[in-house]
């Protein structure tokens, strides 16, 4: 086979998955870094649409298998999913490129917006573009619920689990980790009691592809686990050590690095789970910023590409801007933003590179497959919860009247993507332009 051509493998339902070259994957992750709006649900939606539905670079069962594992980890699940898929395709370098490009564009964009915010306040034309983007993101998330749900919910039991998960998190505010762990336990029990309903989606026997080669090249072992842990813990701790040595352990930048390192370890359930904890600590304990500023930061993070948890970079920026120590406010804020982002996302590489080989080794395990299949069903309910939460804020702003502009843009984008298979990039760019035109010329 020609080296430049990606290896082709047969996947489920008689379709083919053509795995990308490293250059093709690099271009995709770079593009995704600039258009990945909508928080975790929007980003998972985009990856599923592009990688499974359109490009067919990964089969549905393997995508859901990876997603289920990432849902169990602390930190941003969409970012970890990108790392996992990149690792499957091109081993460690693929995971690093995927994870880095997933967040690098948003680092620069959010840094610029944070600077504009503290110096000039809100800029009308930026708000207008974001106003058009929000309904498009809602349409992307809603389409993802349908696409992923149609593949994951194969019988009445899975539909019921998804519905119960939605009700539990939306109406009763059951913590996300509790929902996922409960679903996994139900799946393990169901595999013994009602195996027909809990049977996972198996890949085709001929699915011996680049992903399998990546897994085989990193077979789990204690020595490998220790090596991976040592390397990534050193990488994780390096900027904290430098900040402590050169700025002192009482400087805001060092304190932010320690605090967000702790948050990266203990916060399960993604951005929506970590935000209440971070908000309370940053506003009430450390006094890095005020509560209204925290809400403004969340708004910026929701309407910029990259993980929603990028709001933590805004917190780090404002915290060091307000308490710069012996540095200039801009230099301190830049350092605070970077160390916050570093300590938030570097642990994701550790979790994925450490656990992925074990998950791949157990991929054919029937009971594990049943547990993860049930987790998938619960995740559909969780994504629906995020879609409804986002939809209420977009379509019914300020708690009442319908925003007919947002409703119309969302409906057109939703129908276009489902029926006419519109590409996500023109949908996002076009919606932002429409928002600008609507606010300034109509």
């Amino acid at each position: 086979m020609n080296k430049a051509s990606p290896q082709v493998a047969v996947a489920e339902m008689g379709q083919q998955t053509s795995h990308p070259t490293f250059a093709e994957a690099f271009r995709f992750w770079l593009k995704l870094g600039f258009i990945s709006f909508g928080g975790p649900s929007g980003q998972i939606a985009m990856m599923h649409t592009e990688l499974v539905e359109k490009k067919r670079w990964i089969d549905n069962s393997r995508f859901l298998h990876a997603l289920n594992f990432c849902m169990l980890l602390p930190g941003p699940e969409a970012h970890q999913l990108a790392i996992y898929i990149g690792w499957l395709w091109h081993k460690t370098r693929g995971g690093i490129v995927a994870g880095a490009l997933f967040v690098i564009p948003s680092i620069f964009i959010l840094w610029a917006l944070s600077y504009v915010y503290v110096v000039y306040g809100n800029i009308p034309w930026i708000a207008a573009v974001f106003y058009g983007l929000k309904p498009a993101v809602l349409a992307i998330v809603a389409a993802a619920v349908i696409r992923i749900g149609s593949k994951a919910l194969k019988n009445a039991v899975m539909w019921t689990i998804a519905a119960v998960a939605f009700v539990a998190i939306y109406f009763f505010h059951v913590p996300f980790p509790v929902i996922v762990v409960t679903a996994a336990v139900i799946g393990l029990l169901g595999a013994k009691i009602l195996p027909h309903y809990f049977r996972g989606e198996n890949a085709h026997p001929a699915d011996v592809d680049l992903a399998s080669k990546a897994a085989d090249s990193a077979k789990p072992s204690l020595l490998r686990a220790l090596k991976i842990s040592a390397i990534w813990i050193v990488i994780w701790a390096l900027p904290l050590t430098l900040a402590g040595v050169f700025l002192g352990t009482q400087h805001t930048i060092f304190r932010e690095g320690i605090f967000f390192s702790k948050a990266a370890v203990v916060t399960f359930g993604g951005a929506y789970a970590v935000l209440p904890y971070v908000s309370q600590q940053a506003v009430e304990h450390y006094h890095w910023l005020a509560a209204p500023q925290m809400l403004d930061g969340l708004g910026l993070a929701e309407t910029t590409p990259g993980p929603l948890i990028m709001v933590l970079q805004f917190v780090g920026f404002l915290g060091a801007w307000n308490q710069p120590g012996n540095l200039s406010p801009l230099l301190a804020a830049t350092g605070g933003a970077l160390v916050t982002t570093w300590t938030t996302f570097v642990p994701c590489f550790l979790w994925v590179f450490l656990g992925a080989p074990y998950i791949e080794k157990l991929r054919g395990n029937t009971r594990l497959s049943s547990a993860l299949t049930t987790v998938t069903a619960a995740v559909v309910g969780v994504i629906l919860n995020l879609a409804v939460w986002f939809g209420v804020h977009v379509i019914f702003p300020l708690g009442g009247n319908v925003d007919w502009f947002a409703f119309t843009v969302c409906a057109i984008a939703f129908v276009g993507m489902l029926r006419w298979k519109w590409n996500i990039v023109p949908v996002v760019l076009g919606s932002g332009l429409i928002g600008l035109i609507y606010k300034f010329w109509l």
Side-chain angles (χ1 to χ4, degrees):
M1 179 175 289
N2 192 324
K3 268 188 171 182
S5 301
Q7 187 174 354
V8 175
V10 179
E12 72 260 8
M13 297 186 294
Q15 296 179 341
Q16 287 185 327
T17 58
S18 178
H19 297 279
T21 63
F22 184 78
E24 289 173 330
F26 184 96
R27 289 193 294 269
F28 171 78
W29 296 122
L30 180 61
K31 181 184 79 170
L32 184 66
F34 282 100
I35 66 168
S36 57
F37 296 89
S41 52
Q43 290 143 10
I44 292 168
M46 290 182 184
M47 283 189 277
H48 190 271
T49 299
E50 293 293 310
L51 300 180
V52 178
E53 300 283 343
K54 292 185 177 180
K55 298 182 183 296
R56 294 180 182 174
W57 282 350
I58 186 170
D59 63 74
N60 187 63
S61 65
R62 191 178 284 275
F63 182 92
L64 295 179
H65 186 82
L67 174 60
N68 293 333
F69 168 64
C70 295
M71 284 287 185
L72 298 173
L73 299 174
E77 59 271 21
H79 179 240
Q80 291 160 342
L81 178 61
I83 296 171
Y84 196 119
I85 294 174
W87 173 81
L88 283 174
W89 288 338
H90 302 108
K91 309 176 190 175
T92 301
R93 66 170 183 159
I96 292 174
V97 165
L101 294 181
F102 194 83
V103 299
I104 285 175
S106 61
I107 290 174
F108 290 98
I109 294 171
L110 192 56
W111 178 91
L113 292 176
S114 300
Y115 178 74
V116 168
Y117 175 84
V118 296
V119 175
Y120 301 105
N122 292 316
I123 304 298
W125 72 266
I126 295 178
V129 171
F130 289 163
Y131 180 62
L133 284 174
K134 286 183 179 180
V137 171
L138 174 59
I140 292 169
V141 175
V145 172
I146 293 176
R147 287 197 179 103
I148 296 176
S150 65
K151 294 179 179 295
L153 309 180
K154 296 296 187 181
N155 54 58
V157 173
M158 295 298 116
W159 277 96
T160 302
I161 289 171
V164 171
F166 170 75
V167 170
I169 196 169
Y170 189 81
F171 292 102
F172 298 101
H173 308 292
V174 176
F176 172 81
V178 173
I179 292 174
V180 171
V181 171
T182 302
V185 172
I186 291 173
L188 289 173
L189 296 175
K192 292 189 68 175
I193 301 171
L194 296 169
H196 176 71
Y197 291 100
F198 289 85
R199 186 175 301 142
E201 183 179 9
N202 295 319
H204 194 280
D207 188 18
V208 181
D209 50 22
L210 293 179
S212 297
K213 289 184 178 180
D216 289 342
S217 69
K219 290 182 179 179
S221 69
L222 178 60
L223 181 61
R224 179 189 176 279
L226 292 174
K227 181 180 176 182
I228 292 292
S229 299
I231 291 172
W232 284 98
I233 288 173
V234 169
I235 293 173
W236 182 356
L238 182 60
L240 296 180
T241 304
L242 294 176
V245 170
F246 291 103
L247 298 176
T249 57
Q250 295 306 308
H251 196 279
T252 304
I253 292 177
F254 179 81
R255 298 178 75 194
E256 285 179 339
I258 294 296
F259 172 72
F260 289 108
S261 291
K262 293 177 182 176
V265 174
V266 303
T267 50
F268 293 83
Y272 294 100
V274 69
L275 285 178
Y277 168 68
V278 168
S279 299
Q280 182 183 26
Q281 294 294 312
V283 172
E284 298 178 9
H285 179 70
Y286 292 103
H287 306 292
W288 287 332
L289 72 173
Q293 292 176 321
M294 186 73 197
L295 293 175
D296 290 340
L298 181 58
L300 285 178
E302 282 183 330
T303 49
T304 53
L308 179 58
I309 207 168
M310 284 300 295
V311 67
L312 302 187
Q313 177 180 308
F314 178 84
V315 175
F317 185 98
L318 257 70
W321 177 280
N322 293 330
Q323 301 176 17
N326 57 350
L327 302 177
S328 69
L330 180 58
L331 181 58
T334 301
L338 291 177
V339 79
T340 298
T341 304
W342 185 271
T343 53
T344 297
F345 291 103
V346 165
C348 297
F349 294 92
L350 170 60
W351 312 144
V352 174
F353 290 154
L354 196 60
Y358 294 94
I359 297 300
E360 285 299 308
K361 184 178 181 180
L362 295 172
R363 191 163 174 255
N365 184 288
T366 303
R367 295 192 67 184
L368 177 65
S369 178
S370 298
L372 293 181
T373 297
T374 312
V375 170
T376 300
V379 166
V380 172
V382 172
I383 296 176
L384 177 60
N385 159 71
L386 296 179
V388 172
W389 181 87
F390 196 51
V392 168
H393 286 77
V394 172
I395 305 298
F396 303 97
L398 304 177
N401 298 328
V402 176
D403 185 331
W404 290 108
F405 169 83
F407 178 83
T408 303
V409 172
C410 178
I412 293 172
F414 178 76
V415 174
M417 286 187 293
L418 277 186
R419 184 167 183 179
W420 296 299
K421 309 299 182 185
W422 287 355
N423 194 284
I424 287 173
V425 176
V427 168
V428 169
L429 296 179
S431 299
L433 180 61
I434 289 171
L436 187 64
I437 293 171
Y438 179 81
K439 284 291 188 181
F440 282 91
W441 288 285
L442 294 181

